[in-house]
Amino acid sequence: LADMLKNPDLLISSAFVGGDWMADAASGKRFDVLNPSTGAVITSLPDLSVDETRAAIDTAHLAQKDWAAKTGKERATVLRKLFDLMVANADDLGAILTAEMGKPFAEARGEILYGASFIEWFAEEAKRIYGDVIPGHQPDKRIIVLKQPVGVVASITPWNFPNAMIARKLGPALAVGCAFVAKPAAETPLSALAMAKLAEDAGLPKGLLSVITSKSNAPIGQEFCSNPKIRKITFTGSTEVGRILMRQSADQIKKTSMELGGNAPFIVFDDADLDAAVEGAMISKYRNNGQTCVCANRIYVQSGVYDAFAEKLAVAVSKMKIGDGFDDGVTTGPLISEAAVSKVMEHIEDAKAKGAKVITGGSRHALGGTFFEPTILTGVTREMKVAGEETFGPVAPLFKFDTVDDVIEQANDTIFGLASYFYANDLTRVWRVAEALEYGMVGVNTGLISTEVAPFGGVKQSGQGREGSKYGCDDYLEMKYLCLGGI
Ligand code: ADP
Protein backbone atom coordinates (compact mmCIF):
# COMPACT_ATOMS: atom_id res chain seq x y z
CA LEU A 1 0.00 0.00 0.00
CA ALA A 2 2.81 2.45 0.89
CA ASP A 3 4.10 2.15 -2.69
CA MET A 4 0.75 3.32 -4.04
CA LEU A 5 0.71 6.52 -1.98
CA LYS A 6 2.04 9.88 -3.13
CA ASN A 7 2.54 10.73 0.52
CA PRO A 8 3.54 7.48 2.27
CA ASP A 9 3.70 9.35 5.58
CA LEU A 10 -0.08 9.05 5.69
CA LEU A 11 0.16 5.32 6.28
CA ILE A 12 0.77 5.36 10.01
CA SER A 13 1.66 2.57 12.42
CA SER A 14 1.55 4.63 15.64
CA ALA A 15 -1.23 5.89 17.86
CA PHE A 16 -1.73 9.65 18.33
CA VAL A 17 -1.92 10.46 22.03
CA GLY A 18 -2.07 13.98 23.34
CA GLY A 19 -0.38 15.33 20.23
CA ASP A 20 2.47 12.80 20.20
CA TRP A 21 2.88 9.86 17.87
CA MET A 22 3.19 6.80 20.07
CA ALA A 23 4.96 3.93 18.32
CA ASP A 24 4.39 1.40 21.09
CA ALA A 25 1.87 0.79 23.82
CA ALA A 26 3.21 0.67 27.39
CA SER A 27 2.15 -2.98 27.40
CA GLY A 28 4.10 -3.63 24.20
CA LYS A 29 0.98 -5.19 22.69
CA ARG A 30 0.07 -4.60 19.06
CA PHE A 31 -2.78 -5.62 16.77
CA ASP A 32 -2.94 -6.14 13.01
CA VAL A 33 -5.03 -4.18 10.54
CA LEU A 34 -6.17 -6.43 7.69
CA ASN A 35 -7.29 -5.85 4.13
CA PRO A 36 -10.71 -7.56 3.96
CA SER A 37 -10.36 -8.20 0.21
CA THR A 38 -7.16 -10.20 0.52
CA GLY A 39 -6.82 -11.03 4.19
CA ALA A 40 -3.30 -9.55 4.06
CA VAL A 41 -1.89 -7.60 7.00
CA ILE A 42 -1.55 -3.91 6.09
CA THR A 43 0.29 -2.92 9.24
CA SER A 44 0.09 -3.27 13.00
CA LEU A 45 -0.72 -0.68 15.65
CA PRO A 46 -0.08 -0.26 19.36
CA ASP A 47 -2.93 -1.77 21.38
CA LEU A 48 -3.51 1.05 23.87
CA SER A 49 -5.02 0.59 27.28
CA VAL A 50 -7.02 2.70 29.69
CA ASP A 51 -3.86 4.39 31.05
CA GLU A 52 -2.95 5.84 27.67
CA THR A 53 -6.56 6.82 27.08
CA ARG A 54 -6.55 8.70 30.37
CA ALA A 55 -3.34 10.50 29.40
CA ALA A 56 -4.94 11.61 26.15
CA ILE A 57 -7.98 12.90 28.06
CA ASP A 58 -5.78 14.83 30.51
CA THR A 59 -3.92 16.54 27.69
CA ALA A 60 -7.15 17.28 25.85
CA HIS A 61 -8.60 18.80 28.99
CA LEU A 62 -5.69 21.24 29.25
CA ALA A 63 -5.56 22.08 25.54
CA GLN A 64 -9.30 22.67 25.27
CA LYS A 65 -9.31 25.85 27.38
CA ASP A 66 -6.94 27.72 25.04
CA TRP A 67 -8.74 26.44 21.97
CA ALA A 68 -12.11 27.62 23.28
CA ALA A 69 -10.61 31.04 23.99
CA LYS A 70 -9.63 31.53 20.35
CA THR A 71 -11.90 33.39 17.99
CA GLY A 72 -14.18 31.45 15.73
CA LYS A 73 -12.18 32.70 12.80
CA GLU A 74 -8.93 31.33 14.24
CA ARG A 75 -10.50 27.90 14.68
CA ALA A 76 -12.06 28.17 11.24
CA THR A 77 -8.66 28.81 9.66
CA VAL A 78 -7.27 25.53 10.99
CA LEU A 79 -10.34 23.55 9.94
CA ARG A 80 -10.30 25.13 6.48
CA LYS A 81 -6.66 24.09 6.12
CA LEU A 82 -7.57 20.54 7.18
CA PHE A 83 -10.31 20.51 4.54
CA ASP A 84 -7.83 21.66 1.87
CA LEU A 85 -5.34 18.97 2.91
CA MET A 86 -8.00 16.26 2.84
CA VAL A 87 -9.00 17.26 -0.67
CA ALA A 88 -5.37 17.51 -1.81
CA ASN A 89 -4.65 14.04 -0.38
CA ALA A 90 -7.97 12.45 -1.38
CA ASP A 91 -6.29 9.79 -3.54
CA ASP A 92 -4.03 8.63 -0.73
CA LEU A 93 -6.75 8.79 1.91
CA GLY A 94 -9.05 6.89 -0.44
CA ALA A 95 -6.45 4.18 -1.04
CA ILE A 96 -5.87 3.74 2.70
CA LEU A 97 -9.62 3.50 3.20
CA THR A 98 -10.08 0.92 0.43
CA ALA A 99 -7.22 -1.14 1.84
CA GLU A 100 -8.58 -1.32 5.37
CA MET A 101 -12.32 -1.39 4.63
CA GLY A 102 -12.71 -2.94 1.18
CA LYS A 103 -15.04 -0.48 -0.57
CA PRO A 104 -14.13 0.32 -4.20
CA PHE A 105 -11.53 3.05 -4.57
CA ALA A 106 -13.90 5.49 -6.33
CA GLU A 107 -16.39 5.12 -3.49
CA ALA A 108 -13.62 5.46 -0.91
CA ARG A 109 -12.37 8.64 -2.55
CA GLY A 110 -15.98 9.85 -2.57
CA GLU A 111 -16.18 9.20 1.16
CA ILE A 112 -13.05 11.30 1.72
CA LEU A 113 -14.62 14.24 -0.12
CA TYR A 114 -17.88 13.67 1.78
CA GLY A 115 -15.98 13.62 5.10
CA ALA A 116 -14.01 16.71 4.07
CA SER A 117 -17.27 18.52 3.28
CA PHE A 118 -18.17 18.37 6.99
CA ILE A 119 -14.82 19.88 7.93
CA GLU A 120 -15.42 22.66 5.40
CA TRP A 121 -19.01 23.21 6.54
CA PHE A 122 -18.11 23.44 10.21
CA ALA A 123 -15.10 25.64 9.46
CA GLU A 124 -17.68 28.05 8.08
CA GLU A 125 -20.02 27.54 11.04
CA ALA A 126 -17.19 28.22 13.56
CA LYS A 127 -17.76 31.93 13.03
CA ARG A 128 -21.51 31.72 13.62
CA ILE A 129 -21.95 30.32 17.11
CA TYR A 130 -24.59 32.90 17.92
CA GLY A 131 -26.29 33.36 21.26
CA ASP A 132 -29.43 35.39 21.97
CA VAL A 133 -30.55 38.59 23.63
CA ILE A 134 -33.97 38.11 25.23
CA PRO A 135 -36.17 41.03 26.32
CA GLY A 136 -36.02 41.15 30.14
CA HIS A 137 -38.91 40.08 32.36
CA GLN A 138 -38.41 43.00 34.77
CA PRO A 139 -37.49 46.62 34.02
CA ASP A 140 -34.03 46.37 35.61
CA LYS A 141 -33.08 43.02 34.04
CA ARG A 142 -31.38 42.08 30.81
CA ILE A 143 -31.16 38.50 29.55
CA ILE A 144 -28.41 37.07 27.39
CA VAL A 145 -27.86 33.50 26.19
CA LEU A 146 -24.28 32.38 25.52
CA LYS A 147 -23.28 29.22 23.63
CA GLN A 148 -20.15 27.58 25.04
CA PRO A 149 -18.32 24.39 24.05
CA VAL A 150 -19.14 21.34 26.19
CA GLY A 151 -15.43 20.60 26.74
CA VAL A 152 -13.64 17.36 25.95
CA VAL A 153 -15.56 15.06 23.60
CA ALA A 154 -14.98 11.31 23.33
CA SER A 155 -15.90 9.70 20.03
CA ILE A 156 -16.49 6.04 19.19
CA THR A 157 -17.02 5.22 15.53
CA PRO A 158 -17.60 2.13 13.36
CA TRP A 159 -15.72 0.67 10.41
CA ASN A 160 -18.26 1.27 7.61
CA PHE A 161 -17.26 4.89 6.97
CA PRO A 162 -13.80 5.09 8.55
CA ASN A 163 -13.29 8.72 7.55
CA ALA A 164 -16.71 10.34 7.34
CA MET A 165 -18.11 9.06 10.64
CA ILE A 166 -15.24 10.79 12.45
CA ALA A 167 -15.22 13.91 10.28
CA ARG A 168 -18.91 14.54 11.01
CA LYS A 169 -18.12 14.67 14.72
CA LEU A 170 -14.66 16.20 14.65
CA GLY A 171 -15.75 19.15 12.48
CA PRO A 172 -18.40 20.58 14.80
CA ALA A 173 -16.49 19.67 17.98
CA LEU A 174 -13.36 21.55 16.94
CA ALA A 175 -15.34 24.37 15.34
CA VAL A 176 -17.08 25.34 18.56
CA GLY A 177 -14.00 24.93 20.78
CA CYS A 178 -14.07 21.36 22.08
CA ALA A 179 -11.16 18.91 22.28
CA PHE A 180 -11.61 15.46 20.77
CA VAL A 181 -10.47 11.98 21.77
CA ALA A 182 -11.30 9.47 19.03
CA LYS A 183 -11.53 5.72 19.32
CA PRO A 184 -11.96 4.45 15.75
CA ALA A 185 -13.05 0.87 15.10
CA ALA A 186 -10.14 -1.55 15.45
CA GLU A 187 -10.88 -2.81 11.90
CA THR A 188 -10.31 0.64 10.35
CA PRO A 189 -8.06 2.90 12.41
CA LEU A 190 -5.72 3.91 9.57
CA SER A 191 -8.08 6.44 8.01
CA ALA A 192 -8.48 8.15 11.39
CA LEU A 193 -4.72 8.30 11.91
CA ALA A 194 -4.16 9.74 8.44
CA MET A 195 -6.73 12.44 9.15
CA ALA A 196 -5.03 13.21 12.48
CA LYS A 197 -1.72 13.62 10.64
CA LEU A 198 -3.35 16.11 8.29
CA ALA A 199 -4.91 17.94 11.25
CA GLU A 200 -1.45 18.22 12.76
CA ASP A 201 -0.12 19.52 9.43
CA ALA A 202 -3.00 22.00 9.32
CA GLY A 203 -1.72 23.54 12.55
CA LEU A 204 -4.20 22.08 15.03
CA PRO A 205 -2.73 22.88 18.46
CA LYS A 206 -1.14 19.94 20.22
CA GLY A 207 -3.29 17.79 22.47
CA LEU A 208 -6.66 18.79 21.03
CA LEU A 209 -6.98 15.59 19.05
CA SER A 210 -6.01 12.07 20.02
CA VAL A 211 -6.61 8.80 18.19
CA ILE A 212 -6.74 5.84 20.56
CA THR A 213 -5.86 2.67 18.70
CA SER A 214 -7.12 -0.32 20.62
CA LYS A 215 -8.39 -3.79 19.97
CA SER A 216 -10.49 -3.82 23.12
CA ASN A 217 -13.67 -1.78 23.09
CA ALA A 218 -15.36 -2.07 26.46
CA PRO A 219 -12.52 -0.82 28.72
CA ILE A 220 -11.91 2.26 26.57
CA GLY A 221 -15.66 2.93 26.38
CA GLN A 222 -15.91 2.61 30.15
CA GLU A 223 -13.06 5.06 30.67
CA PHE A 224 -14.73 7.55 28.34
CA CYS A 225 -18.01 7.26 30.23
CA SER A 226 -16.55 7.35 33.75
CA ASN A 227 -13.80 9.96 33.34
CA PRO A 228 -15.23 13.27 34.62
CA LYS A 229 -13.06 15.23 32.20
CA ILE A 230 -15.06 13.80 29.30
CA ARG A 231 -18.17 15.92 29.03
CA LYS A 232 -19.73 14.33 26.02
CA ILE A 233 -19.85 10.96 24.29
CA THR A 234 -20.57 10.93 20.59
CA PHE A 235 -21.16 7.48 19.15
CA THR A 236 -22.03 5.92 15.83
CA GLY A 237 -22.73 2.20 15.84
CA SER A 238 -25.30 -0.35 16.88
CA THR A 239 -28.29 0.39 19.08
CA GLU A 240 -27.07 -2.34 21.40
CA VAL A 241 -23.73 -0.65 22.09
CA GLY A 242 -25.46 2.76 22.17
CA ARG A 243 -27.60 1.51 25.05
CA ILE A 244 -24.49 0.35 26.93
CA LEU A 245 -22.79 3.73 26.47
CA MET A 246 -25.91 5.64 27.54
CA ARG A 247 -26.25 3.47 30.65
CA GLN A 248 -22.59 3.99 31.49
CA SER A 249 -22.96 7.73 30.94
CA ALA A 250 -25.94 7.97 33.27
CA ASP A 251 -23.92 8.15 36.49
CA GLN A 252 -22.38 11.43 35.46
CA ILE A 253 -25.38 12.66 33.47
CA LYS A 254 -22.99 12.94 30.54
CA LYS A 255 -24.25 14.40 27.32
CA THR A 256 -24.52 11.88 24.50
CA SER A 257 -25.12 11.95 20.78
CA MET A 258 -26.15 8.60 19.36
CA GLU A 259 -26.26 7.64 15.69
CA LEU A 260 -27.52 4.07 15.98
CA GLY A 261 -28.96 1.30 13.88
CA GLY A 262 -31.67 1.62 11.28
CA ASN A 263 -34.17 -0.61 9.54
CA ALA A 264 -34.95 1.61 6.58
CA PRO A 265 -38.14 0.99 4.62
CA PHE A 266 -37.99 1.72 0.91
CA ILE A 267 -41.51 2.00 -0.47
CA VAL A 268 -42.46 1.89 -4.15
CA PHE A 269 -46.03 3.04 -4.86
CA ASP A 270 -47.81 2.16 -8.06
CA ASP A 271 -47.64 5.75 -9.34
CA ALA A 272 -43.84 5.80 -9.04
CA ASP A 273 -41.41 6.12 -11.92
CA LEU A 274 -40.22 2.50 -11.74
CA ASP A 275 -36.86 3.06 -13.43
CA ALA A 276 -36.09 5.87 -11.01
CA ALA A 277 -37.19 3.67 -8.11
CA VAL A 278 -34.87 0.87 -9.26
CA GLU A 279 -31.99 3.33 -9.55
CA GLY A 280 -32.73 4.66 -6.06
CA ALA A 281 -33.02 1.15 -4.64
CA MET A 282 -29.66 0.17 -6.13
CA ILE A 283 -27.98 3.10 -4.39
CA SER A 284 -29.88 2.82 -1.16
CA LYS A 285 -29.59 -0.97 -0.89
CA TYR A 286 -26.22 -1.88 -2.36
CA ARG A 287 -24.05 1.18 -1.68
CA ASN A 288 -21.17 0.16 0.58
CA ASN A 289 -22.36 -3.43 -0.02
CA GLY A 290 -25.42 -2.82 2.13
CA GLN A 291 -23.27 -1.84 5.08
CA THR A 292 -24.68 1.55 6.03
CA CYS A 293 -27.17 2.43 8.72
CA VAL A 294 -29.32 4.19 6.10
CA CYS A 295 -29.36 1.29 3.62
CA ALA A 296 -32.82 0.16 2.52
CA ASN A 297 -33.44 -2.89 4.70
CA ARG A 298 -37.06 -3.61 3.72
CA ILE A 299 -38.33 -2.88 0.23
CA TYR A 300 -42.12 -2.58 0.04
CA VAL A 301 -43.59 -2.68 -3.46
CA GLN A 302 -47.26 -2.07 -4.24
CA SER A 303 -48.89 -5.16 -5.74
CA GLY A 304 -49.60 -3.66 -9.20
CA VAL A 305 -45.90 -3.01 -9.87
CA TYR A 306 -44.32 -5.75 -7.74
CA ASP A 307 -43.32 -8.17 -10.51
CA ALA A 308 -42.11 -5.45 -12.85
CA PHE A 309 -40.01 -3.86 -10.11
CA ALA A 310 -38.46 -7.21 -9.14
CA GLU A 311 -37.52 -7.91 -12.75
CA LYS A 312 -35.96 -4.51 -13.31
CA LEU A 313 -34.06 -4.69 -10.03
CA ALA A 314 -32.66 -8.10 -10.98
CA VAL A 315 -31.40 -6.68 -14.28
CA ALA A 316 -29.71 -3.80 -12.47
CA VAL A 317 -28.14 -6.16 -9.93
CA SER A 318 -26.74 -8.36 -12.70
CA LYS A 319 -24.59 -5.39 -13.78
CA MET A 320 -22.81 -5.10 -10.44
CA LYS A 321 -19.18 -6.15 -10.40
CA ILE A 322 -17.91 -7.70 -7.20
CA GLY A 323 -14.21 -7.70 -6.41
CA ASP A 324 -11.15 -6.12 -4.87
CA GLY A 325 -11.78 -2.41 -4.42
CA PHE A 326 -8.57 -1.57 -6.26
CA ASP A 327 -9.61 -3.42 -9.45
CA ASP A 328 -11.05 -1.45 -12.38
CA GLY A 329 -14.81 -1.36 -12.76
CA VAL A 330 -15.52 -2.99 -9.41
CA THR A 331 -18.76 -1.63 -7.92
CA THR A 332 -18.82 -3.67 -4.75
CA GLY A 333 -16.18 -4.97 -2.36
CA PRO A 334 -16.26 -7.73 0.24
CA LEU A 335 -18.21 -7.70 3.49
CA ILE A 336 -16.15 -6.51 6.43
CA SER A 337 -15.89 -9.84 8.26
CA GLU A 338 -16.92 -13.46 8.49
CA ALA A 339 -19.43 -12.45 11.18
CA ALA A 340 -21.07 -10.11 8.66
CA VAL A 341 -21.33 -12.97 6.15
CA SER A 342 -22.91 -15.21 8.78
CA LYS A 343 -25.60 -12.64 9.57
CA VAL A 344 -26.44 -12.20 5.88
CA MET A 345 -26.65 -15.98 5.39
CA GLU A 346 -28.78 -16.36 8.52
CA HIS A 347 -31.27 -13.79 7.21
CA ILE A 348 -31.43 -15.46 3.79
CA GLU A 349 -31.84 -18.96 5.24
CA ASP A 350 -34.54 -17.80 7.64
CA ALA A 351 -36.45 -16.08 4.83
CA LYS A 352 -36.16 -19.15 2.58
CA ALA A 353 -37.36 -21.45 5.36
CA LYS A 354 -40.43 -19.24 5.81
CA GLY A 355 -41.31 -19.22 2.10
CA ALA A 356 -39.29 -16.47 0.41
CA LYS A 357 -37.78 -17.07 -3.03
CA VAL A 358 -34.22 -16.14 -4.02
CA ILE A 359 -34.46 -14.63 -7.50
CA THR A 360 -30.80 -13.67 -7.71
CA GLY A 361 -27.70 -14.30 -5.58
CA GLY A 362 -28.21 -15.93 -2.22
CA SER A 363 -24.74 -17.37 -1.61
CA ARG A 364 -21.12 -16.58 -0.96
CA HIS A 365 -19.41 -15.23 -4.05
CA ALA A 366 -17.09 -17.44 -6.11
CA LEU A 367 -14.24 -15.07 -5.17
CA GLY A 368 -14.27 -16.59 -1.69
CA GLY A 369 -13.28 -14.76 1.48
CA THR A 370 -16.05 -12.47 2.65
CA PHE A 371 -17.29 -11.65 -0.85
CA PHE A 372 -21.03 -12.19 -1.20
CA GLU A 373 -23.45 -12.29 -4.12
CA PRO A 374 -25.89 -9.39 -4.28
CA THR A 375 -29.21 -10.97 -3.46
CA ILE A 376 -32.90 -10.33 -4.11
CA LEU A 377 -35.64 -12.13 -2.19
CA THR A 378 -39.31 -12.11 -3.23
CA GLY A 379 -42.37 -13.18 -1.31
CA VAL A 380 -40.97 -11.73 1.91
CA THR A 381 -43.29 -11.34 4.90
CA ARG A 382 -43.13 -9.64 8.29
CA GLU A 383 -42.53 -12.93 10.12
CA MET A 384 -39.03 -13.16 8.65
CA LYS A 385 -35.88 -11.88 10.38
CA VAL A 386 -35.17 -9.44 7.56
CA ALA A 387 -38.31 -7.55 8.58
CA GLY A 388 -37.18 -6.80 12.11
CA GLU A 389 -33.39 -6.75 12.05
CA GLU A 390 -30.82 -4.75 10.15
CA THR A 391 -29.16 -7.18 7.69
CA PHE A 392 -26.15 -4.92 6.97
CA GLY A 393 -25.39 -6.72 3.75
CA PRO A 394 -26.37 -6.96 0.06
CA VAL A 395 -29.82 -8.49 0.48
CA ALA A 396 -32.92 -6.82 -0.98
CA PRO A 397 -36.08 -8.37 0.52
CA LEU A 398 -39.19 -7.44 -1.48
CA PHE A 399 -42.44 -7.21 0.48
CA LYS A 400 -45.77 -6.84 -1.36
CA PHE A 401 -48.42 -4.38 -0.10
CA ASP A 402 -51.83 -3.14 -1.23
CA THR A 403 -52.84 0.05 0.55
CA VAL A 404 -51.12 3.19 1.83
CA ASP A 405 -52.34 2.61 5.39
CA ASP A 406 -51.08 -0.95 5.33
CA VAL A 407 -47.58 -0.02 4.21
CA ILE A 408 -47.27 2.88 6.65
CA GLU A 409 -48.23 0.56 9.48
CA GLN A 410 -45.64 -2.00 8.40
CA ALA A 411 -42.94 0.59 7.75
CA ASN A 412 -43.35 2.06 11.24
CA ASP A 413 -43.53 -1.33 12.96
CA THR A 414 -39.93 -1.28 14.18
CA ILE A 415 -37.94 0.05 17.12
CA PHE A 416 -35.80 1.97 14.63
CA GLY A 417 -36.38 5.37 13.04
CA LEU A 418 -33.36 6.49 11.06
CA ALA A 419 -33.79 6.72 7.28
CA SER A 420 -36.78 5.91 5.11
CA TYR A 421 -37.43 6.26 1.39
CA PHE A 422 -40.41 6.20 -0.90
CA TYR A 423 -41.20 6.66 -4.57
CA ALA A 424 -44.53 8.20 -5.58
CA ASN A 425 -45.75 11.07 -7.74
CA ASP A 426 -49.20 11.96 -6.47
CA LEU A 427 -48.62 15.15 -4.46
CA THR A 428 -51.16 14.42 -1.75
CA ARG A 429 -49.78 10.93 -1.27
CA VAL A 430 -46.19 12.25 -1.13
CA TRP A 431 -47.06 14.75 1.58
CA ARG A 432 -49.17 12.35 3.66
CA VAL A 433 -46.65 9.51 3.55
CA ALA A 434 -43.73 11.83 4.35
CA GLU A 435 -45.58 13.05 7.45
CA ALA A 436 -46.67 9.58 8.55
CA LEU A 437 -43.25 7.89 8.45
CA GLU A 438 -41.75 7.82 11.95
CA TYR A 439 -38.20 8.44 10.82
CA GLY A 440 -35.59 11.16 11.27
CA MET A 441 -34.99 11.27 7.52
CA VAL A 442 -37.22 10.66 4.51
CA GLY A 443 -35.92 10.39 0.95
CA VAL A 444 -38.73 11.14 -1.50
CA ASN A 445 -37.96 9.91 -5.02
CA THR A 446 -34.29 9.58 -4.13
CA GLY A 447 -32.16 6.85 -2.60
CA LEU A 448 -29.32 9.10 -1.51
CA ILE A 449 -29.92 11.61 1.24
CA SER A 450 -26.59 12.14 3.01
CA THR A 451 -25.05 15.61 2.75
CA GLU A 452 -23.25 17.95 5.12
CA VAL A 453 -25.91 20.63 4.65
CA ALA A 454 -28.81 18.56 6.10
CA PRO A 455 -29.44 17.27 9.64
CA PHE A 456 -28.63 13.55 9.77
CA GLY A 457 -30.08 11.58 12.64
CA GLY A 458 -32.74 9.26 13.91
CA VAL A 459 -35.79 9.02 16.15
CA LYS A 460 -36.97 6.12 18.36
CA GLN A 461 -34.12 3.70 19.09
CA SER A 462 -32.04 4.96 16.16
CA GLY A 463 -30.59 7.64 18.36
CA GLN A 464 -30.56 11.25 19.36
CA GLY A 465 -28.80 14.35 18.12
CA ARG A 466 -28.13 15.50 14.58
CA GLU A 467 -24.96 15.61 12.52
CA GLY A 468 -24.32 18.15 9.78
CA SER A 469 -26.31 21.27 8.88
CA LYS A 470 -26.83 24.44 10.89
CA TYR A 471 -28.05 22.21 13.74
CA GLY A 472 -24.86 20.12 13.86
CA CYS A 473 -23.02 22.41 16.30
CA ASP A 474 -25.81 22.21 18.91
CA ASP A 475 -24.71 18.77 20.11
CA TYR A 476 -21.32 20.19 21.11
CA LEU A 477 -22.59 23.35 22.81
CA GLU A 478 -23.98 24.23 26.20
CA MET A 479 -26.39 27.09 26.61
CA LYS A 480 -25.69 29.54 29.41
CA TYR A 481 -28.24 32.12 30.49
CA LEU A 482 -26.96 35.38 31.96
CA CYS A 483 -29.40 37.50 33.92
CA LEU A 484 -28.04 41.01 34.43
CA GLY A 485 -29.87 42.75 37.26
CA GLY A 486 -29.86 46.20 38.84
CA ILE A 487 -29.66 48.06 35.55
P1 ADP B 1 -20.76 -2.34 14.26
O1 ADP B 1 -21.66 -3.47 14.00
O2 ADP B 1 -20.89 -1.21 13.34
O3 ADP B 1 -19.34 -2.73 14.51
P2 ADP B 1 -20.87 -1.77 17.06
O4 ADP B 1 -21.89 -0.96 17.79
O5 ADP B 1 -20.62 -3.14 17.50
O6 ADP B 1 -21.35 -1.70 15.57
O7 ADP B 1 -19.50 -1.00 17.04
C1 ADP B 1 -19.38 0.36 16.81
C2 ADP B 1 -18.14 0.86 17.49
O8 ADP B 1 -18.28 0.70 18.89
C3 ADP B 1 -16.88 0.12 17.09
O9 ADP B 1 -15.82 1.03 17.02
C4 ADP B 1 -16.68 -0.84 18.23
O10 ADP B 1 -15.33 -1.12 18.37
C5 ADP B 1 -17.19 -0.03 19.41
N1 ADP B 1 -17.69 -0.82 20.55
C6 ADP B 1 -18.27 -2.03 20.54
N2 ADP B 1 -18.61 -2.41 21.79
C7 ADP B 1 -18.28 -1.40 22.62
C8 ADP B 1 -18.38 -1.17 24.04
N3 ADP B 1 -18.92 -2.06 24.86
N4 ADP B 1 -17.91 0.00 24.52
C9 ADP B 1 -17.37 0.91 23.71
N5 ADP B 1 -17.25 0.76 22.39
C10 ADP B 1 -17.68 -0.38 21.83
Side-chain angles (χ1 to χ4, degrees), residues 85-362:
L85 288 174
M86 286 172 76
V87 172
N89 289 279
D91 286 347
D92 285 355
L93 295 174
I96 291 167
L97 205 163
T98 291
E100 66 177 346
M101 192 274 163
K103 71 179 68 175
F105 175 70
E107 207 174 317
R109 198 177 181 285
E111 179 185 333
I112 300 301
L113 298 180
Y114 173 61
S117 74
F118 285 87
I119 303 294
E120 179 190 44
W121 174 268
F122 288 106
E124 292 156 356
E125 289 295 289
K127 292 177 271 185
R128 302 189 183 95
I129 310 302
Y130 299 132
D132 269 319
V133 180
I134 297 174
H137 59 306
Q138 287 164 354
D140 69 330
K141 298 257 166 65
R142 303 290 182 271
I143 295 175
I144 296 162
V145 177
L146 302 181
K147 299 282 182 72
Q148 295 182 310
V150 293
V152 182
V153 173
S155 147
I156 300 178
T157 45
W159 47 263
N160 62 345
F161 291 91
N163 177 286
M165 292 301 107
I166 298 176
R168 298 211 296 200
K169 301 173 186 303
L170 182 68
L174 291 180
V176 306
C178 294
F180 198 86
V181 181
K183 155 73 176 71
E187 293 88 342
T188 59
L190 300 177
S191 293
L193 291 164
M195 195 166 26
K197 171 83 175 69
L198 295 180
E200 187 183 38
D201 294 349
L204 187 71
K206 199 171 159 143
L208 277 177
L209 170 62
S210 286
V211 179
I212 305 297
T213 56
S214 178
K215 187 86 181 151
S216 52
N217 299 317
I220 309 292
Q222 255 157 13
E223 176 61 21
F224 281 168
C225 296
S226 61
N227 189 318
K229 288 179 181 157
I230 295 289
R231 298 293 293 276
K232 183 189 174 89
I233 307 282
T234 175
F235 174 70
T236 299
S238 63
T239 294
E240 194 189 339
V241 173
R243 282 190 200 103
I244 295 173
L245 294 172
M246 282 183 80
R247 267 187 218 118
Q248 290 178 172
S249 297
D251 284 343
Q252 293 179 11
I253 323 290
K254 244 183 246 296
K255 286 190 177 302
T256 57
S257 289
M258 295 281 151
E259 295 291 352
L260 308 178
N263 180 4
F266 184 105
I267 308 169
V268 184
F269 289 99
D270 54 15
D271 62 324
D273 174 338
L274 269 201
D275 291 321
V278 167
E279 199 184 319
M282 288 300 295
I283 295 170
S284 171
K285 176 66 257 180
Y286 295 107
R287 186 168 64 101
N288 217 24
N289 210 5
Q291 303 173 111
T292 87
C293 50
V294 294
C295 274
N297 199 54
R298 299 167 290 158
I299 301 183
Y300 294 99
V301 188
Q302 204 155 12
S303 42
V305 292
Y306 188 91
D307 293 339
F309 179 85
E311 263 172 46
K312 282 175 185 279
L313 189 67
V315 171
V317 163
S318 71
K319 294 178 185 150
M320 289 168 70
K321 188 173 169 208
I322 318 302
D324 188 313
F326 286 114
D327 291 347
D328 274 349
V330 162
T331 59
T332 310
L335 287 164
I336 189 70
S337 63
E338 196 49 42
V341 174
S342 300
K343 181 158 193 196
V344 167
M345 304 250 288
E346 182 194 327
H347 279 193
I348 294 172
E349 291 313 318
D350 170 80
K352 276 163 65 181
K354 292 173 184 161
K357 232 175 88 191
V358 177
I359 63 163
T360 185

Side-chain angles (χ1 to χ4, degrees), residues 77-93:
T77 304
V78 175
L79 283 173
R80 176 72 211 189
K81 188 85 200 290
L82 172 56
F83 164 73
D84 289 339
L85 288 174
M86 286 172 76
V87 172
N89 289 279
D91 286 347
D92 285 355
L93 295 174

Side-chain angles (χ1 to χ4, degrees), residues 376-452:
I376 301 174
L377 303 172
T378 55
V380 180
T381 61
R382 66 200 300 172
E383 290 72 34
M384 300 173 187
K385 280 186 185 166
V386 284
E389 292 174 28
E390 197 173 23
T391 306
F392 234 64
V395 181
L398 307 189
F399 300 72
K400 194 182 279 188
F401 74 93
D402 287 315
T403 67
V404 175
D405 289 347
D406 175 31
V407 77
I408 293 292
E409 188 275 323
Q410 289 196 60
N412 288 339
D413 183 20
T414 166
I415 61 166
F416 299 104
L418 193 60
S420 56
Y421 309 85
F422 71 93
Y423 278 72
N425 276 314
D426 178 85
L427 185 59
T428 306
R429 175 178 280 180
V430 165
W431 195 247
R432 291 216 170 120
V433 173
E435 285 184 342
L437 287 169
E438 295 170 353
Y439 288 82
M441 299 176 281
V442 185
V444 186
N445 295 327
T446 177
L448 193 58
I449 54 177
S450 299
T451 159
E452 81 280 13

